[in-house]
Amino acid sequence: QLQLEESGGGRVQPGGSLTLSCAFSGFTSDQNLESYFIGWFRQAPGMEREGVACMSSSGASTHYERSVEGRFTISRDIVAGTIFLHMNNLKPEDTGVYYCAASRPPGQLCLRRDYKTWGLGTRVTVSS
């Protein structure tokens, strides 16, 4: 059974940087990260969970939520079975719980309902 575990959250000042990691485990023998769409989703207090950065199974396509374009980068280490979210120039509105998730293709990148496997989340607070 595929399992995801996030790490790297914390408190950071506006303008700062943070990198989140998500370790995948429980792949079957014929699967790895290239078998899945991967995504980072964010849930701010009182808000719906939204996709902020997603990558196709081939790695050829990425999608970023408009407010994070140019500041956030999604990446993956296939050998390590880990995905990352590199976040720069953080703003208070980036505050929330960040979840990594996996979806079996085909489908639409960053469409939340397509993602069936989720981590428990890691909290990011951007505040001075």
Side-chain angles (χ1 to χ4, degrees):
Q1 182 178 353
L2 188 67
Q3 293 184 314
L4 283 59
E5 183 174 3
E6 303 93 341
S7 60
R11 179 180 293 272
V12 62
Q13 291 189 340
S17 298
L18 208 57
T19 294
L20 306 182
S21 302
C22 175
F24 282 52
S25 61
F27 287 122
T28 60
S29 59
D30 61 342
Q31 292 180 346
N32 61 22
L33 280 179
E34 294 176 294
S35 307
Y36 293 90
F37 286 177
I38 57 174
W40 287 97
F41 293 75
R42 172 175 70 197
Q43 188 160 19
M47 303 292 286
E48 294 280 327
R49 194 175 300 185
E50 62 176 352
V52 295
C54 300
M55 177 182 285
S56 64
S57 53
S58 70
S61 298
T62 55
H63 173 83
Y64 293 95
E65 197 272 327
R66 186 177 300 179
S67 70
V68 309
E69 278 185 332
R71 299 189 298 121
F72 289 14
T73 303
I74 185 172
S75 66
R76 65 182 183 180
D77 182 332
I78 294 170
V79 173
T82 303
I83 70 171
F84 304 94
L85 184 65
H86 309 277
M87 304 185 292
N88 296 315
N89 190 23
L90 282 159
K91 304 176 180 181
E93 52 264 42
D94 295 319
T95 293
V97 179
Y98 285 71
Y99 300 87
C100 61
S103 168
R104 292 301 303 270
Q108 182 176 338
L109 284 182
C110 272
L111 184 62
R112 189 181 71 181
R113 66 170 181 262
D114 283 350
Y115 285 77
K116 306 302 183 186
T117 306
W118 294 81
L120 296 179
T122 186
R123 185 173 300 276
V124 173
T125 302
V126 184
S127 173
S128 55

